[in-house]
Amino acid sequence: MPETPPPVPLPPTAPHPLIHRLVPSPAGRVHLVEQGRGPLVLLVHGFPESWYSWRHQLPALAAAGYRAVAVDVRGYGRSSRPAAVDAYRMLDLVADNVAVVEALGERSAVVVGHDWGATIAATSALTRPDVFRAVALLGVPYSPPGGPRPSEVFARMGGDEEFYVAYFQQPGRAEAEIEPDVRGWLAGFHAALSAGTMPAPGAPDPHFVGRGGTLRERFPAGPLPAWLGEDDLDFLAGEFERTGMAGALNRYRVMDRDWADLADREGAPIRQPSLFIGGGLDASLAWLADAVAAYPETLPGLLGSHILDGCGHFVQQERPEETNRILIDWLAALPG
């Protein structure tokens, strides 16, 4: 029998119910959570998250007159989890997004993504402009396809240490670190990347692994970030305790395949209306500063770029009210 999702309390002023659906996709099914009526806004999460990372945006977008839909990306939650690593390539995830739009009876959508979801959203807009009429990227800037092979880039980062993306490449390796204590690992991971709990400047960088070590060794051991309640962590940990981590981690293991799949799009801009929101304390902004500087060429339809001072990586959860205001103002300004 299908799993029954746990109840999620709604704000008392929510204008529409929160609806769980399973819709067909190329891999089998996508689990989504929907709220509101109006133009479709598709919300795509990153690692290691779920549809639940958009819990603050769903009621706000619904109240503003939009049909807000947050998905569990392939490999997460109640969506299909193919066994083959190759099934997690970017073009497959774009196909899942298109399938969701079609299953909901819509012809187009605005796509919004955070972390890996930002890259999925950007590639959806780049390769299927007939479906995705605008794109908002949270946390991770847009970098056009092309350049050196990703595995070679990541292998060179860190010197004697290992960058986390390279660490995630070998199937089973990161799973062996995370799965014996999913909740504890997720608590440390979120604390490491959030304002108020991330390591102080000069401390060992939690994005890197010492030779023979683990990521967790560098996570802070203090309290949870202010934005992450015990109930929120329980929900997230429960999802990964049920599914395991392989589906989520497989996204990192096909980056060279994505590089080859998108070779014909090298340097291609996204021309639809776009938006970027980043956290001022997010390491992604430092690593990808050149990508942000290139926005006039790579995102010619950019309508706004916002850096939230004092905010870490999880922008829509750390600063939900500010993120909601920026998103809703941007949506209202879109043509049509």
Side-chain angles (χ1 to χ4, degrees):
M1 295 180 63
E3 303 119 339
T4 301
V8 177
L10 293 178
T13 57
H16 301 286
L18 201 68
I19 301 170
H20 290 256
R21 298 185 192 274
L22 298 174
V23 301
S25 75
R29 69 182 187 183
V30 169
H31 169 241
L32 60 85
V33 180
E34 174 182 358
Q35 192 168 5
R37 301 186 184 93
L40 177 59
V41 180
L42 184 65
L43 305 168
V44 187
H45 67 79
F47 174 89
E49 301 177 302
S50 78
W51 72 267
Y52 190 71
S53 67
W54 300 105
R55 62 193 177 280
H56 303 297
Q57 285 66 53
L58 287 164
L61 291 172
Y66 296 95
R67 185 182 189 185
V69 172
V71 298
D72 277 336
V73 171
R74 179 185 299 210
Y76 289 80
R78 297 176 64 209
S79 292
S80 291
R81 300 185 298 278
V85 174
D86 192 54
Y88 294 85
R89 54 198 262 267
M90 186 62 68
L91 292 180
D92 287 329
L93 303 182
V94 171
D96 287 346
N97 283 350
V98 172
V100 167
V101 175
E102 293 175 349
L104 293 175
E106 303 283 357
R107 299 181 63 181
S108 68
V110 174
V111 60
V112 180
H114 171 253
D115 185 77
W116 260 124
T119 306
I120 298 167
T123 310
S124 297
L126 178 66
T127 60
R128 293 301 306 268
D130 56 316
V131 177
F132 300 104
R133 63 187 181 92
V135 58
L137 311 176
L138 278 60
V140 176
Y142 174 59
S143 295
R149 186 183 297 272
S151 60
E152 296 173 357
V153 174
F154 299 130
R156 292 195 297 266
M157 296 181 67
D160 292 337
E161 297 181 336
E162 191 174 13
F163 190 49
Y164 79 99
V165 177
Y167 177 74
F168 285 166
Q169 295 300 303
Q170 181 183 341
R173 185 183 179 196
E175 289 92 325
E177 174 186 341
I178 302 169
E179 290 178 354
D181 177 19
V182 172
R183 192 181 193 278
W185 194 92
L186 291 173
F189 179 87
H190 285 84
L193 274 62
S194 297
T197 52
M198 63 176 57
D205 191 334
H207 297 92
F208 292 85
V209 179
R211 296 297 174 183
T214 63
L215 280 170
R216 186 171 183 165
E217 292 170 358
R218 297 188 175 182
F219 292 166
L224 293 177
W227 61 267
L228 183 66
E230 296 286 350
D231 290 346
D232 301 322
L233 182 59
D234 285 343
F235 177 85
L236 186 62
E239 292 289 88
F240 286 113
E241 286 167 351
R242 178 171 54 80
T243 66
M245 297 299 300
L249 289 162
N250 282 342
R251 173 83 287 276
Y252 292 90
R253 296 165 180 162
V254 290
M255 296 176 74
D256 282 354
R257 176 61 186 272
D258 298 336
W259 178 79
D261 286 344
L262 296 168
D264 62 339
R265 308 272 182 164
E266 183 168 0
I270 294 173
R271 300 193 180 279
Q272 297 98 306
S274 56
L275 172 72
F276 178 72
I277 309 174
L281 301 178
D282 191 344
S284 298
L285 288 184
W287 298 329
L288 297 170
D290 289 346
V292 175
Y295 278 170
E297 291 76 39
T298 61
L299 292 177
L302 187 68
L303 299 179
S305 181
H306 304 263
I307 307 302
L308 308 187
D309 290 341
C311 181
H313 180 65
F314 302 97
V315 288
Q316 81 272 29
Q317 298 181 84
E318 291 188 48
R319 302 278 275 275
E321 293 183 2
E322 193 169 355
T323 299
N324 292 347
R325 177 184 56 77
I326 293 169
L327 280 174
I328 291 168
D329 288 349
W330 173 72
L331 288 165
L334 293 177

